């Protein structure tokens, strides 16, 4: 039996009988297993701020004890790695709310030191969230009213959109990542 980490090369093999006679030696070549491969990383997009997200890597030649690396790793924490089968690995990932958006590469390294090709997923920004609007009510016919909107993840260029034909949005000013002012008019 050769271990997963045995160096490749020729090994001498003989077959002894119980009476002490044995065969002539033959050479057995020990070769490396094929390296791990990645075909798909799922999900392909993960939002900033996610905690304990399960990611599945599908491919081949995965060995128990394999590890997963994500690059660039700024704001990324890889947790538990589970080899489900020779063709599937799952790992837990946490992405900091301020991790830079963009593509991340994933590699799998087997316990024999062989590393896979790269797979990838995209870190995407969290969508804006609105927690409150002040004032919460306007009278019909109110013109050029300024609303204060509190929330989270308001980025430069954020805009407000009315889903009512009676309300016209006249402008949006971002005051910070958690505060915006929106000017509206309400038809009578």
């Amino acid at each position: 039996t050769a271990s997963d980490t045995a160096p490749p090369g020729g090994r001498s093999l003989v077959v002894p009988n119980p009476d002490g006679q044995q065969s002539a030696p033959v050479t057995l070549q020990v070769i490396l297993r094929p390296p791990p491969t990645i075909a798909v990383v799922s999900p392909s997009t993960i939002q900033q701020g996610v905690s304990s997200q399960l990611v599945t890597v599908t491919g081949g030649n995965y060995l128990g004890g394999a590890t997963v690396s994500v690059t660039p790793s700024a704001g990324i924490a890889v947790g538990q790695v589970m080899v489900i089968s020779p063709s599937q690995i799952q790992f837990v990932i946490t992405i900091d709310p301020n991790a830079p958006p963009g593509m991340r590469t994933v590699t799998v390294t087997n316990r024999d030191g062989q590393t896979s090709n790269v797979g990838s997923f995209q870190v995407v920004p969290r969508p804006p969230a609105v927690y409150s609007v002040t004032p919460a009510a306007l009278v019909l016919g109110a013109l050029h009213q300024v609303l204060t909107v509190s929330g989270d993840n308001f980025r430069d260029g954020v805009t407000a959109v009315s889903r009512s034909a009676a309300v016209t949005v006249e402008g949006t000013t971002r005051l910070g990542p958690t505060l915006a002012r929106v000017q509206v008019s309400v038809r009578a």
Side-chain angles (χ1 to χ4, degrees):
T1 303
S3 78
D4 291 328
T5 58
R11 304 294 191 277
S12 180
L13 176 71
V14 294
V15 177
N17 278 332
D19 64 4
Q21 294 181 333
Q22 65 181 21
S23 69
V26 293
T27 301
L28 172 68
Q29 288 296 321
V30 174
I31 59 172
L32 289 176
R33 290 178 184 262
T37 61
I38 295 177
V40 177
V41 176
S42 179
S44 60
T45 60
I46 306 174
Q47 282 185 5
Q48 293 169 316
V50 72
S51 180
S52 299
Q53 168 78 46
L54 188 65
V55 177
T56 301
V57 179
T58 305
N61 307 318
Y62 303 140
L63 301 176
T67 60
V68 172
S69 299
V70 175
T71 309
S73 59
I76 307 286
V78 174
Q80 181 182 12
V81 176
M82 300 153 286
V83 177
I84 305 302
S85 71
S87 62
Q88 189 176 72
I89 287 181
Q90 292 182 327
F91 66 96
V92 176
I93 194 168
T94 296
I95 301 178
D96 187 90
N98 298 313
M103 220 39 141
R104 299 299 193 278
T105 60
V106 176
T107 55
V108 174
T109 302
N110 276 339
R111 64 179 179 252
D112 64 3
Q114 294 190 85
T115 300
S116 70
N117 59 311
V118 297
S120 64
F121 67 90
Q122 176 118 1
V123 174
V124 295
R126 293 174 293 139
V130 174
Y131 304 135
S132 67
V133 176
T134 307
L138 295 174
V139 296
L140 289 173
L143 299 176
H144 315 298
Q145 300 297 301
V146 176
L147 307 175
T148 301
V149 181
S150 297
D152 193 25
N153 206 33
F154 298 158
R155 293 188 292 276
D156 288 336
V158 68
T159 59
V161 176
S162 172
R163 300 210 181 229
S164 168
V167 177
T168 301
V169 175
E170 299 166 339
T172 305
T173 303
R174 177 186 178 266
L175 301 174
T178 61
L179 195 62
R181 290 224 168 90
V182 179
Q183 184 171 314
V184 299
S185 289
V186 181
R187 272 196 245 162

Coordinates of all heavy atoms in Angstrom, one line a residue, residues 127-188:
P127 N -27.4 45.4 -1.1 CA -28.3 46.4 -1.5 C -28.6 47.4 -0.4 O -28.4 47.1 0.8 CB -29.5 45.6 -1.9 CG -29.5 44.4 -1.0 CD -28.0 44.1 -0.8
P128 N -29.1 48.6 -0.8 CA -29.4 49.5 0.3 C -30.6 49.0 1.0 O -31.5 48.3 0.5 CB -29.7 50.8 -0.5 CG -30.0 50.4 -1.9 CD -29.3 49.1 -2.1
A129 N -30.7 49.4 2.3 CA -31.9 49.1 3.1 C -32.4 50.3 3.7 O -31.7 51.2 4.2 CB -31.4 48.1 4.3
V130 N -33.8 50.5 3.7 CA -34.4 51.6 4.3 C -35.1 51.2 5.6 O -35.8 50.2 5.7 CB -35.5 52.3 3.4 CG1 -36.2 53.4 4.1 CG2 -34.8 52.8 2.1
Y131 N -34.8 51.9 6.7 CA -35.3 51.6 8.0 C -36.5 52.6 8.4 O -37.4 52.2 9.1 CB -34.3 51.6 9.1 CG -33.1 50.6 8.8 CD1 -31.8 51.0 9.0 CD2 -33.4 49.4 8.4 CE1 -30.8 50.2 8.7 CE2 -32.3 48.5 8.1 CZ -31.0 48.9 8.3 OH -30.0 48.0 8.0
S132 N -36.3 53.9 8.0 CA -37.4 54.8 8.3 C -37.4 56.0 7.4 O -36.3 56.3 6.8 CB -37.2 55.3 9.8 OG -36.1 56.1 9.9
V133 N -38.5 56.7 7.2 CA -38.7 57.9 6.4 C -39.4 58.9 7.3 O -40.4 58.6 7.9 CB -39.5 57.6 5.1 CG1 -39.7 58.9 4.4 CG2 -38.8 56.6 4.3
T134 N -38.8 60.1 7.4 CA -39.4 61.2 8.2 C -39.6 62.4 7.4 O -38.6 62.8 6.7 CB -38.5 61.5 9.4 OG1 -38.2 60.3 10.1 CG2 -39.2 62.5 10.3
P135 N -40.8 63.0 7.3 CA -42.0 62.5 7.9 C -42.5 61.3 7.2 O -42.2 61.1 6.0 CB -42.9 63.7 7.7 CG -42.4 64.5 6.5 CD -40.9 64.2 6.5
A136 N -43.3 60.5 7.9 CA -43.8 59.3 7.4 C -45.1 59.5 6.5 O -45.6 58.6 5.9 CB -44.1 58.3 8.5
A137 N -45.7 60.7 6.6 CA -46.9 61.0 5.8 C -46.8 62.4 5.3 O -46.3 63.3 5.9 CB -48.1 60.8 6.7
L138 N -47.4 62.6 4.1 CA -47.5 63.9 3.4 C -48.9 64.1 3.0 O -49.6 63.1 2.6 CB -46.6 64.0 2.3 CG -45.1 64.0 2.5 CD1 -44.3 64.0 1.2 CD2 -44.6 65.2 3.4
V139 N -49.4 65.3 3.0 CA -50.8 65.6 2.5 C -50.8 65.7 1.0 O -49.8 66.0 0.4 CB -51.4 66.9 3.1 CG1 -51.5 66.8 4.6 CG2 -50.5 68.1 2.7
L140 N -51.9 65.4 0.4 CA -52.1 65.6 -1.0 C -51.8 67.0 -1.4 O -52.2 67.9 -0.7 CB -53.5 65.2 -1.5 CG -53.8 63.7 -1.4 CD1 -55.3 63.5 -1.7 CD2 -53.0 62.9 -2.4
G141 N -51.1 67.2 -2.5 CA -50.8 68.6 -2.9 C -49.5 69.1 -2.3 O -49.1 70.3 -2.6
A142 N -48.8 68.4 -1.4 CA -47.6 68.9 -0.8 C -46.5 69.0 -1.9 O -46.3 68.1 -2.7 CB -47.2 68.0 0.3
L143 N -45.9 70.1 -2.0 CA -44.9 70.4 -3.0 C -43.5 70.5 -2.4 O -43.3 71.2 -1.4 CB -45.2 71.6 -3.8 CG -46.5 71.6 -4.6 CD1 -46.8 73.0 -5.2 CD2 -46.6 70.5 -5.6
H144 N -42.5 70.0 -3.1 CA -41.1 70.2 -2.8 C -40.8 69.9 -1.3 O -40.1 70.6 -0.6 CB -40.6 71.6 -3.1 CG -41.1 72.1 -4.4 ND1 -40.7 71.4 -5.6 CD2 -41.9 73.1 -4.8 CE1 -41.3 72.1 -6.6 NE2 -42.1 73.0 -6.2
Q145 N -41.3 68.7 -0.8 CA -41.1 68.3 0.6 C -39.8 67.5 0.7 O -39.5 66.7 -0.2 CB -42.3 67.5 1.0 CG -43.6 68.2 1.0 CD -43.6 69.4 1.9 OE1 -43.4 69.3 3.1 NE2 -43.8 70.6 1.4
V146 N -39.1 67.7 1.8 CA -37.8 67.0 2.0 C -38.1 65.9 3.0 O -38.5 66.2 4.1 CB -36.7 68.0 2.5 CG1 -35.4 67.2 2.8 CG2 -36.4 69.0 1.4
L147 N -37.8 64.7 2.6 CA -37.9 63.5 3.5 C -36.5 63.1 3.9 O -35.5 63.2 3.1 CB -38.5 62.3 2.7 CG -39.8 62.6 2.0 CD1 -40.2 61.4 1.2 CD2 -40.9 62.9 3.0
T148 N -36.3 62.7 5.2 CA -35.1 62.2 5.7 C -35.2 60.7 5.7 O -36.2 60.1 6.3 CB -34.8 62.7 7.1 OG1 -34.7 64.1 7.0 CG2 -33.5 62.2 7.6
V149 N -34.3 60.0 5.0 CA -34.4 58.5 4.9 C -33.2 58.0 5.7 O -32.1 58.3 5.4 CB -34.3 58.1 3.4 CG1 -34.4 56.6 3.3 CG2 -35.4 58.8 2.6
S150 N -33.5 57.1 6.6 CA -32.5 56.4 7.4 C -32.4 55.0 6.9 O -33.5 54.3 6.7 CB -32.8 56.4 8.9 OG -32.8 57.8 9.3
G151 N -31.2 54.5 6.9 CA -31.1 53.1 6.4 C -29.6 52.6 6.5 O -28.9 53.0 7.4
D152 N -29.2 51.9 5.5 CA -27.9 51.3 5.5 C -27.4 51.1 4.0 O -28.3 50.8 3.2 CB -27.8 50.0 6.3 CG -26.4 49.6 6.6 OD1 -25.5 50.4 6.6 OD2 -26.2 48.3 6.8
N153 N -26.1 51.2 3.8 CA -25.5 50.9 2.6 C -25.9 51.9 1.4 O -26.1 51.5 0.3 CB -25.7 49.5 2.2 CG -24.6 49.0 1.3 OD1 -23.5 49.4 1.4 ND2 -25.0 48.1 0.3
F154 N -26.1 53.1 1.8 CA -26.4 54.1 0.8 C -25.0 54.5 0.2 O -24.1 55.0 0.9 CB -27.0 55.4 1.3 CG -28.4 55.1 1.9 CD1 -28.9 56.0 2.9 CD2 -29.2 54.0 1.6 CE1 -30.2 55.8 3.4 CE2 -30.4 53.8 2.1 CZ -30.9 54.7 3.1
R155 N -24.8 54.3 -1.1 CA -23.5 54.6 -1.8 C -23.6 55.9 -2.6 O -24.7 56.3 -2.9 CB -23.1 53.4 -2.6 CG -22.8 52.2 -1.8 CD -22.2 51.1 -2.7 NE -23.1 50.5 -3.7 CZ -24.0 49.5 -3.4 NH1 -24.0 49.0 -2.2 NH2 -24.8 49.1 -4.3
D156 N -22.5 56.5 -2.9 CA -22.5 57.6 -3.8 C -23.3 57.3 -5.0 O -23.3 56.3 -5.6 CB -21.1 58.0 -4.2 CG -20.2 58.6 -3.1 OD1 -20.8 59.1 -2.2 OD2 -19.0 58.5 -3.2
G157 N -24.2 58.3 -5.4 CA -25.0 58.1 -6.6 C -26.4 57.5 -6.3 O -27.1 57.3 -7.2
V158 N -26.6 57.2 -5.0 CA -27.9 56.6 -4.7 C -29.1 57.5 -5.1 O -28.9 58.7 -5.0 CB -28.0 56.2 -3.2 CG1 -28.1 57.5 -2.3 CG2 -29.2 55.3 -2.9
T159 N -30.1 56.9 -5.6 CA -31.3 57.7 -6.0 C -32.6 57.1 -5.4 O -32.6 55.9 -5.1 CB -31.5 57.8 -7.5 OG1 -31.6 56.4 -8.0 CG2 -30.3 58.5 -8.2
A160 N -33.6 57.9 -5.2 CA -34.9 57.4 -4.7 C -35.8 57.3 -6.0 O -35.7 58.1 -6.9 CB -35.5 58.3 -3.7
V161 N -36.7 56.3 -6.0 CA -37.6 56.1 -7.0 C -39.0 55.9 -6.4 O -39.2 55.2 -5.4 CB -37.3 54.8 -7.9 CG1 -38.3 54.5 -8.9 CG2 -35.9 55.0 -8.5
S162 N -40.0 56.6 -7.0 CA -41.4 56.5 -6.5 C -42.1 55.4 -7.2 O -41.9 55.2 -8.4 CB -42.1 57.8 -6.7 OG -43.5 57.6 -6.4
R163 N -42.8 54.6 -6.5 CA -43.6 53.5 -7.2 C -45.0 53.9 -7.3 O -45.9 53.1 -7.5 CB -43.4 52.2 -6.4 CG -42.0 51.8 -6.3 CD -41.8 50.3 -6.2 NE -40.4 50.0 -6.1 CZ -39.9 49.1 -6.9 NH1 -40.6 48.4 -7.7 NH2 -38.6 48.9 -6.7
S164 N -45.3 55.2 -7.1 CA -46.7 55.7 -7.2 C -46.7 56.9 -8.2 O -45.8 57.8 -8.1 CB -47.1 56.2 -5.8 OG -48.3 57.0 -5.9
A165 N -47.7 56.9 -9.1 CA -47.8 58.0 -10.0 C -48.1 59.3 -9.3 O -47.9 60.4 -9.9 CB -48.9 57.6 -11.1
A166 N -48.6 59.3 -8.1 CA -49.0 60.5 -7.4 C -47.8 61.2 -6.8 O -47.9 62.3 -6.4 CB -50.0 60.2 -6.3
V167 N -46.6 60.5 -6.6 CA -45.5 61.1 -6.0 C -44.4 61.2 -7.0 O -44.0 60.3 -7.7 CB -45.0 60.2 -4.8 CG1 -43.7 60.7 -4.2 CG2 -46.1 60.0 -3.8
T168 N -43.8 62.4 -7.1 CA -42.7 62.7 -8.0 C -41.5 62.9 -7.2 O -41.4 63.8 -6.3 CB -43.0 64.0 -8.8 OG1 -44.2 63.7 -9.6 CG2 -41.9 64.2 -9.8
V169 N -40.4 62.2 -7.5 CA -39.1 62.4 -6.8 C -38.4 63.5 -7.6 O -38.2 63.3 -8.8 CB -38.3 61.1 -6.7 CG1 -36.9 61.4 -6.2 CG2 -39.0 60.0 -5.9
E170 N -38.0 64.5 -6.9 CA -37.3 65.7 -7.5 C -35.8 65.7 -7.3 O -35.1 66.4 -8.0 CB -37.9 67.0 -7.0 CG -39.4 67.1 -7.3 CD -40.1 68.1 -6.5 OE1 -39.7 68.6 -5.4 OE2 -41.2 68.5 -7.0
G171 N -35.3 64.9 -6.4 CA -33.9 64.8 -6.1 C -33.6 64.0 -4.9 O -34.4 63.9 -4.0
T172 N -32.3 63.5 -4.9 CA -31.8 62.7 -3.8 C -30.4 63.2 -3.4 O -29.6 63.4 -4.3 CB -31.8 61.2 -4.2 OG1 -33.1 60.8 -4.6 CG2 -31.3 60.3 -3.0
T173 N -30.2 63.4 -2.1 CA -28.9 63.7 -1.7 C -28.4 62.7 -0.6 O -29.1 62.5 0.4 CB -28.9 65.2 -1.0 OG1 -29.4 66.1 -2.0 CG2 -27.5 65.6 -0.6
R174 N -27.3 62.1 -0.9 CA -26.7 61.2 0.1 C -25.9 62.0 1.1 O -25.1 62.8 0.8 CB -25.8 60.2 -0.6 CG -25.1 59.2 0.3 CD -24.0 58.4 -0.5 NE -23.3 57.5 0.4 CZ -22.1 57.7 0.9 NH1 -21.6 58.9 0.7 NH2 -21.5 56.8 1.7
L175 N -26.3 61.8 2.4 CA -25.6 62.4 3.5 C -24.5 61.5 4.1 O -23.7 62.0 4.9 CB -26.6 62.9 4.5 CG -27.6 63.9 3.9 CD1 -28.7 64.2 5.0 CD2 -27.0 65.2 3.4
G176 N -24.6 60.3 3.8 CA -23.7 59.3 4.4 C -24.2 57.9 4.1 O -25.2 57.8 3.4
P177 N -23.5 56.9 4.5 CA -23.9 55.5 4.2 C -25.2 55.1 4.9 O -25.8 54.1 4.5 CB -22.7 54.7 4.7 CG -22.0 55.5 5.7 CD -22.2 56.9 5.3
T178 N -25.7 55.9 5.9 CA -26.9 55.5 6.6 C -28.0 56.6 6.5 O -29.0 56.5 7.1 CB -26.7 55.2 8.0 OG1 -26.1 56.4 8.7 CG2 -25.7 54.1 8.2
L179 N -27.8 57.7 5.7 CA -28.7 58.8 5.7 C -28.8 59.5 4.3 O -27.7 59.7 3.7 CB -28.3 59.8 6.8 CG -29.3 60.9 7.2 CD1 -30.5 60.3 7.8 CD2 -28.6 61.9 8.2
A180 N -30.0 59.8 3.9 CA -30.2 60.5 2.6 C -31.4 61.4 2.8 O -32.3 61.2 3.6 CB -30.5 59.5 1.5
R181 N -31.4 62.5 2.0 CA -32.6 63.4 1.9 C -33.1 63.2 0.5 O -32.4 63.2 -0.5 CB -32.1 64.8 2.1 CG -31.7 65.0 3.6 CD -32.3 66.3 4.1 NE -32.1 66.4 5.6 CZ -31.1 66.9 6.2 NH1 -30.1 67.4 5.5 NH2 -31.0 66.9 7.5
V182 N -34.5 63.2 0.4 CA -35.2 63.0 -0.8 C -36.2 64.1 -0.9 O -37.0 64.3 0.0 CB -35.9 61.6 -0.9 CG1 -36.6 61.5 -2.2 CG2 -34.8 60.5 -0.7
Q183 N -36.2 64.8 -2.0 CA -37.2 65.9 -2.2 C -38.3 65.3 -3.1 O -38.0 64.8 -4.2 CB -36.6 67.1 -2.8 CG -37.7 68.3 -2.9 CD -37.0 69.6 -3.4 OE1 -36.0 69.9 -2.8 NE2 -37.6 70.2 -4.3
V184 N -39.6 65.5 -2.7 CA -40.7 64.9 -3.4 C -41.9 66.0 -3.5 O -41.9 66.9 -2.7 CB -41.3 63.6 -2.8 CG1 -40.2 62.6 -2.8 CG2 -41.8 63.9 -1.4
S185 N -42.8 65.7 -4.4 CA -44.0 66.5 -4.5 C -45.1 65.4 -4.7 O -44.9 64.4 -5.3 CB -44.1 67.4 -5.7 OG -43.2 68.5 -5.5
V186 N -46.3 65.7 -4.0 CA -47.4 64.8 -4.1 C -48.6 65.5 -4.8 O -49.0 66.6 -4.4 CB -47.9 64.4 -2.6 CG1 -49.1 63.4 -2.7 CG2 -46.7 63.8 -1.8
R187 N -49.0 64.9 -5.9 CA -50.2 65.4 -6.7 C -51.4 65.5 -5.8 O -51.7 64.6 -5.0 CB -50.4 64.6 -7.9 CG -49.6 65.0 -9.1 CD -50.1 64.4 -10.3 NE -49.1 63.5 -10.8 CZ -49.4 62.6 -11.7 NH1 -50.6 62.3 -12.1 NH2 -48.4 61.8 -12.1
A188 N -52.2 66.5 -6.1 CA -53.5 66.6 -5.4 C -54.5 65.8 -6.1 O -54.5 65.4 -7.2 CB -53.9 68.1 -5.4

